[in-house]
Amino acid sequence: MKKNVLDFNDLAASVLDRFHELVGRKVSLQLISSTNTDSENNLKGKVGRAAYLENWITTFSSLTPGDTAFDVTFDWEEEVGVPGAFIINNFHHTEFYLKTLTLEHVPGHSGPLHFTYLVGETPGPLLQYREEELVNLRGDGSGQLEEWDRVYDYAYYNDLGDPDKGQDLARPVLGGSSDYPYPRRGRTGRPPTNTDPNSESRIPLLMSLNIYVPRDERFGHLKMSDFLAYGLKSIFQFLLPEFKDLCENISNEFDSFENTREIYEGGFKLPDGPLLKSVYDNIPLELLKELLPSDGEGLFKFPMPKVIQEDKSAWRTDEEFARETVAGLNPVIISRLQEFPPASNLDPKLYGDQTSTITQHHIQNQLDGLTVDEAMKTNRLYILNHHDSLMPYLRRINTTTTKTYASRTLLFLQNDGRLRPLAIELSLPHPDGDQLGAVSKVYTPSEDGIEGSVWQLAKAYAAVNDSGVHQLISHWLHTHAVMEPFVIATNRQLSVMHPVHKLLQPHFRDTMNINAFARQVLINAGGILEATVFPARYSMELSAVMYKNWAFPDQALPVDLLKRGVAVEDSNSPHGLRLLIEDYPYAVDGLEIWSAIRTWVEDYCNFYYASDDTVQDDSELQSWWKELREKGHADKKDKPWWPKMQTRKELIDSCTIIIWVASALHAAVNFGQYHYAGYMPNRPTISRRFMPEPGTKEYDELGTNPDKVYLRTITARLQTLLGVALIEILSRHSSDEIYLGQRDTPEWTADAQVVEAFDKFGKKLAEIEEGIIRMNNDHERWKNRVGPVKVPYTLLYPTSEDGLTGKGIPNSVSI
């Protein structure tokens, strides 16, 4: 794949490359023998004579980026024998990305050549080359890394703050301490800041696309991750100051729900003048159509989110609020209530009594005739618990423009399988000190008058908690951040010839790239995330505190469901688990996908590893797993829960978790964002005022204009526009996406049994798709799959077209 700029091949480079061809500076390939050694070269495999790519000058690539195929003809050399590797040299002006090399008609060898070897099975003449390649990829740990480097190394998250620009932009280093443990990121090696020797200096916002990632992790073509960097940079850099002026002129508030829908229905006109001029001057033309969707009238408008497409107000119902805990974009938090009233795990010495103030009196008459005890015994009570995780940070968070609570939401499982909210408790730290416990108030469902409006606000505060935890923990920390060490360790310790490298590599595509862009424009001090989620400047350190609870084995879906108490072990049920909420779309579809991944991984690993001994004797595999624990997730290295990597089962379980997190878990928490949260009143990300108290002007206004009070409490117009622009980019599939059960090239392996197992995996995923469609159409039986808003649950539907589809499981965390 030739290098290109934005969405077009680099024509100037193309001309220079042709000139280099004419003067003999070409692309050469040399085969390395897997059978014969060179006595003059440390007994490494003999290297053949150079052959050159043919017809470079006359092969014209299409204007848009894509693959180009070339022939190369090697002269047969008896002393090289059977080749097992090759050296490629590019003497052109411009780099290209080499995807595949297929060798045909090798004398004395029928069929394709195998390049997949465990270390112990590698032909002797290739062993030194195999080791040298890994040494090169590890680098020497020093110096600033440049665009052309292929070096994988580790660093702390010490580049989010910008202390040289002022203390308000200083942020703690994440990773390497007991206060702020964190997964490691890829090292860039930039010099430290002047103000703080422990913080790494940042590159200017305008240079965001140049942030270092190892060369093979950044593809030349413009996929959506580039849009993300460009798009966010553009929105933030050029539109933000203008938007601020604009919002001051037209008020930073939405006055009614009709008003909130204008950004999708009619669009809003961007005033002529400096705003549009700065847009056109600074955003590449190819991006304008993506970033400024326009109907030709100069109106700026967003696509209609599905949550308000069929029914403009169904999102406000209690049923939809509850349904989104099992079929929305954060279906990984709900747990079964195991004690009443709900207790706290916070240290009472530091935080006093944090036990819930919800009593039987609050919920007794809503349990369909059951007592609280009976409802618990029959697995009918559930909780959305954002109390313990937020309470220690709440005092600090409320010093910012955010004004919010820690929340506990109780839910009841009805006879027809739907959930219903019973009570929401909103808690603040005691004004006289944390050790005095919490000050809490409990709200119960009401439909009419001021009580009805107060209940809608209570649901909004619970949704704000859930939105922030979703974006920072379920999405960023538990998929993006925890995966990066796996990408780095795999490239440093497993040769490209290693079967586990070949198994996992598709699930790492673009992850380092997108995470580097995120550090640059999204999760950095003063970045878009701090501007749009409620923990504001404390967002990332809150995620570090939450990482303390992360454990690798718990990321397996069955383990997670058991831990949250929403399933029990049952050998008679499919997958060995019985769901206590039978109609739990995320868990139902997730278990099918999990099981398909596990079967594929089992077939694959059992083909290459004949026994547990082969796992133990695989030196690369053992180095990989050791480095992953001791360097990649170093702050967790002494935890007893890490698999020991001594058995085939441990290898299969670990690889299944890695693939599940990178593909299905990320898809479940990412690609539904626009359709549920693109309409901000449904999933507000910020609350700016506390609940109105009786006797105040705001409380009285709940009687006369409740919608206005609601909209002035949640995310303001500017943050809404920023947030919606962000999640629209995050929720899109790029046109070159590769989905679960697909590979980017059919020549990825020559082992027929593995190809057959992979085909079986693809067929199983197709069956799962049919099952999802069938269940989504059976509204009588599966009420949580579509709900009052009439949005079918398709987030774990494996394939998709490009764009904003709300379905599709890409192989990797690529946006």
Side-chain angles (χ1 to χ4, degrees):
M1 184 181 284
K2 294 184 181 180
K3 187 175 180 183
N4 47 75
V5 176
L6 285 174
D7 229 349
F8 294 97
N9 276 316
D10 188 340
L11 288 175
S14 226
V15 171
L16 270 169
D17 291 344
R18 288 191 165 83
F19 173 72
H20 282 147
E21 280 279 319
L22 289 171
V23 297
R25 292 175 62 82
K26 303 185 176 198
V27 176
S28 74
L29 290 98
Q30 293 163 281
L31 296 177
I32 301 172
S33 174
S34 66
T35 49
N36 301 327
T37 56
D38 184 345
S39 55
E40 293 174 15
N41 190 16
N42 287 339
L43 297 178
K44 288 158 80 172
K46 206 161 183 55
V47 178
R49 288 194 294 274
Y52 297 92
L53 286 195
E54 294 161 13
N55 302 326
W56 182 283
I57 294 180
T58 53
T59 305
F60 279 88
S61 316
S62 66
L63 269 178
T64 52
D67 299 350
T68 313
F70 292 94
D71 287 328
V72 55
T73 307
F74 295 97
D75 291 331
W76 172 242
E77 297 172 72
E78 198 71 50
E79 63 271 25
V80 170
V82 180
F86 64 95
I87 294 170
I88 182 163
N89 275 299
N90 175 11
F91 296 105
H92 285 170
H93 165 267
T94 318
E95 59 189 354
F96 58 84
Y97 179 70
L98 178 67
K99 284 182 82 166
T100 58
L101 170 77
T102 307
L103 288 182
E104 293 165 348
H105 319 306
V106 176
H109 188 93
S110 63
L113 284 173
H114 292 247
F115 283 96
T116 306
Y117 302 107
L118 292 174
V119 186
E121 295 165 1
T122 309
L126 298 179
L127 270 170
Q128 286 189 59
Y129 289 108
R130 181 173 179 145
E131 180 50 38
E132 279 172 15
E133 171 79 341
L134 286 173
V135 169
N136 288 338
L137 288 167
R138 288 176 206 141
D140 62 6
S142 68
Q144 182 162 344
L145 295 166
E146 302 293 351
E147 182 190 351
W148 50 85
D149 284 319
R150 283 174 72 226
V151 169
Y152 294 81
D153 204 352
Y154 302 96
Y156 298 136
Y157 276 76
N158 62 351
D159 62 343
L160 301 179
D162 204 347
D164 289 352
K165 288 193 175 161
Q167 262 325 97
D168 59 324
L169 291 177
R171 295 291 179 272
V173 172
L174 306 184
S177 68
S178 56
D179 286 344
Y180 301 121
Y182 222 62
R184 301 299 186 258
R185 64 169 174 92
R187 189 177 83 80
T188 50
R190 296 191 302 268
T193 60
N194 300 324
T195 320
D196 174 12
N198 295 321
S199 291
E200 189 172 279
S201 56
R202 292 177 56 78
I203 58 174
L205 207 52
L206 273 170
M207 304 295 287
S208 292
L209 283 183
N210 296 353
I211 187 166
Y212 173 75
V213 288
R215 193 64 191 95
D216 292 352
E217 301 302 318
R218 170 176 307 168
F219 288 78
H221 56 271
L222 179 72
K223 72 177 297 286
M224 277 299 161
S225 49
D226 300 283
F227 267 133
L228 179 72
Y230 260 117
L232 298 189
K233 185 180 70 180
S234 313
I235 290 168
F236 218 51
Q237 177 87 348
F238 305 116
L239 304 192
L240 193 58
E242 309 288 348
F243 261 144
K244 279 192 170 145
D245 295 344
L246 180 66
C247 291
E248 277 162 21
N249 295 337
I250 56 174
S251 153
N252 196 19
E253 299 293 350
F254 292 115
D255 290 323
S256 65
F257 288 117
E258 290 72 46
N259 202 204
T260 62
R261 293 194 296 269
E262 281 170 8
I263 64 173
Y264 321 101
E265 288 169 340
F268 54 95
K269 198 160 175 66
L270 292 176
D272 291 333
L275 173 62
L276 282 184
K277 185 172 178 347
S278 72
V279 170
Y280 288 118
D281 287 352
N282 293 297
I283 303 181
L285 188 65
E286 293 77 20
L287 295 168
L288 275 176
K289 62 180 187 291
E290 284 293 331
L291 287 170
L292 293 176
S294 166
D295 57 1
E297 297 289 309
L299 286 183
F300 182 75
K301 77 176 181 188
F302 290 106
M304 179 72 75
K306 285 183 180 166
V307 77
I308 52 168
Q309 214 158 344
E310 293 292 322
D311 185 324
K312 300 289 182 263
S313 58
W315 64 272
R316 301 194 77 174
T317 60
D318 286 0
E319 181 189 339
E320 180 59 23
F321 171 79
R323 185 187 81 91
E324 288 186 23
T325 63
V326 291
L329 52 130
N330 196 25
V332 294
I333 304 292
I334 187 174
S335 60
R336 183 161 53 88
L337 189 66
Q338 317 235 15
E339 56 185 322
F340 187 87
S344 166
N345 293 321
L346 293 174
D347 182 348
K349 287 197 203 64
L350 295 175
Y351 297 104
D353 183 5
Q354 294 282 338
T355 308
S356 174
T357 59
I358 301 174
T359 63
Q360 298 204 10
H361 152 76
H362 288 116
I363 61 172
Q364 187 66 65
N365 62 354
Q366 304 180 66
L367 302 178
D368 291 359
L370 300 175
T371 65
V372 172
D373 211 31
E374 288 165 343
M376 281 179 65
K377 283 202 177 90
T378 51
N379 305 319
R380 305 282 289 274
L381 287 178
Y382 294 83
I383 184 169
L384 192 68
N385 197 338
H386 294 302
H387 183 92
D388 284 8
S389 53
L390 299 178
M391 185 53 85
Y393 261 81
L394 208 48
R395 201 181 290 278
R396 275 169 286 180
I397 290 169
N398 283 337
T399 62
T400 68
T401 53
T402 295
K403 300 291 174 270
T404 201
Y405 303 88
S407 66
R408 291 179 175 115
T409 303
L410 249 48
L411 301 143
F412 178 66
L413 180 61
Q414 304 174 102
N415 291 327
D416 64 2
R418 292 180 301 171
L419 289 159
R420 184 174 74 217
L422 297 172
I424 295 173
E425 177 184 50
L426 302 179
S427 305
L428 288 170
H430 195 287
D432 297 331
D434 289 353
Q435 69 288 355
L436 297 173
V439 177
S440 304
K441 193 157 182 196
V442 178
Y443 300 88
T444 53
S446 178
E447 288 186 13
D448 305 317
I450 289 186
E451 283 73 30
S453 305
V454 165
W455 173 243
Q456 289 295 340
L457 277 176
K459 288 194 294 181
Y461 289 114
V464 166
N465 279 184
D466 200 57
S467 293
V469 168
H470 162 259
Q471 202 61 279
L472 290 169
I473 313 305
S474 310
H475 182 203
W476 164 258
L477 178 66
H478 286 173
T479 65
H480 285 259
V482 300
M483 281 313 290
E484 187 154 349
F486 289 91
V487 184
I488 299 169
T490 301
N491 282 284
R492 284 169 57 89
Q493 298 297 342
L494 296 179
S495 161
V496 289
M497 292 176 162
H498 197 289
V500 174
H501 188 290
K502 289 197 173 183
L503 171 69
L504 296 178
Q505 192 251 342
H507 304 288
F508 297 154
R509 180 184 192 236
D510 286 348
T511 301
M512 289 188 76
N513 207 9
I514 200 68
N515 286 0
F517 288 156
R519 298 200 314 276
Q520 187 57 20
V521 293
L522 198 58
I523 61 175
N524 57 307
I528 290 200
L529 205 72
E530 288 191 358
T532 54
V533 296
F534 77 87
R537 62 169 297 152
Y538 298 106
S539 295
M540 291 307 288
E541 57 182 278
L542 180 63
S543 76
V545 171
M546 305 276 254
Y547 174 63
K548 292 177 184 180
N549 303 322
W550 182 84
F552 178 71
D554 293 355
Q555 307 314 301
L557 178 64
V559 176
D560 169 56
L561 296 172
L562 290 168
K563 200 173 169 202
R564 289 191 281 122
V566 293
V568 288
E569 287 179 352
D570 178 0
S571 55
N572 298 321
S573 296
H575 321 298
L577 284 190
R578 181 167 59 83
L579 291 170
L580 298 177
I581 304 173
E582 192 190 358
D583 185 6
Y584 185 168
Y586 163 74
V588 171
D589 299 354
L591 284 169
E592 291 289 334
I593 300 283
W594 167 269
S595 171
I597 293 170
R598 197 180 190 289
T599 303
W600 152 239
V601 171
E602 199 166 13
D603 291 347
Y604 184 92
C605 291
N606 287 343
F607 177 79
Y608 292 106
Y609 291 90
S611 65
D612 292 346
D613 289 349
T614 44
V615 172
Q616 293 161 24
D617 296 343
D618 184 341
S619 57
E620 281 185 5
L621 188 77
Q622 295 304 324
S623 300
W624 170 65
W625 198 245
K626 183 177 193 295
E627 179 169 295
L628 189 82
R629 295 190 323 270
E630 295 180 1
K631 289 190 172 176
H633 283 278
D635 300 331
K636 299 265 183 186
K637 68 174 185 288
D638 299 323
K639 295 292 182 190
W641 42 249
W642 282 108
K644 302 284 182 280
M645 207 49 80
Q646 296 297 296
T647 64
R648 288 198 300 183
K649 183 182 183 302
E650 287 180 317
L651 173 63
I652 290 162
D653 288 347
S654 299
C655 290
T656 304
I657 290 174
I658 293 167
I659 294 172
W660 161 261
V661 170
S663 60
L665 179 61
H666 179 258
V669 297
N670 183 68
F671 291 103
Q673 290 195 78
Y674 192 79
H675 290 307
Y676 283 107
Y679 184 59
M680 200 61 85
N682 182 49
R683 297 280 300 173
T685 56
I686 292 174
S687 51
R688 300 173 286 150
R689 302 172 173 197
F690 291 122
M691 180 72 87
E693 293 293 334
T696 62
K697 184 163 87 34
E698 287 80 11
Y699 189 82
D700 297 341
E701 201 174 4
L702 280 173
T704 55
N705 196 343
D707 292 357
K708 187 173 171 188
V709 177
Y710 185 95
L711 292 166
R712 302 224 156 169
T713 301
I714 63 163
T715 322
R717 183 193 292 261
L718 167 64
Q719 282 79 9
T720 295
L721 294 176
L722 270 179
V724 172
L726 164 64
I727 58 177
E728 189 199 351
I729 293 167
L730 290 181
S731 304
R732 277 183 183 279
H733 289 297
S734 61
S735 52
D736 63 349
E737 197 76 85
I738 300 166
Y739 296 94
L740 196 61
Q742 302 174 353
R743 301 283 294 216
D744 64 348
T745 164
E747 294 94 6
W748 70 278
T749 180
D751 293 316
Q753 210 176 314
V754 170
V755 170
E756 198 180 314
F758 192 62
D759 286 347
K760 185 177 90 176
F761 178 43
K763 289 193 177 89
K764 180 64 190 170
L765 292 171
E767 280 173 33
I768 293 170
E769 288 191 346
E770 287 169 18
I772 289 172
I773 292 172
R774 222 175 15 256
M775 286 187 290
N776 285 350
N777 288 333
D778 187 351
H779 301 161
E780 276 313 299
R781 177 150 186 220
W782 306 110
K783 293 182 165 37
N784 292 332
R785 294 196 72 93
V786 175
V789 292
K790 302 191 173 50
V791 179
Y793 188 75
T794 53
L795 292 176
L796 289 173
Y797 185 93
T799 57
S800 176
E801 310 75 55
D802 56 12
L804 274 179
T805 62
K807 62 178 184 177
I809 303 176
N811 270 325
S812 62
V813 178
S814 61
I815 186 130

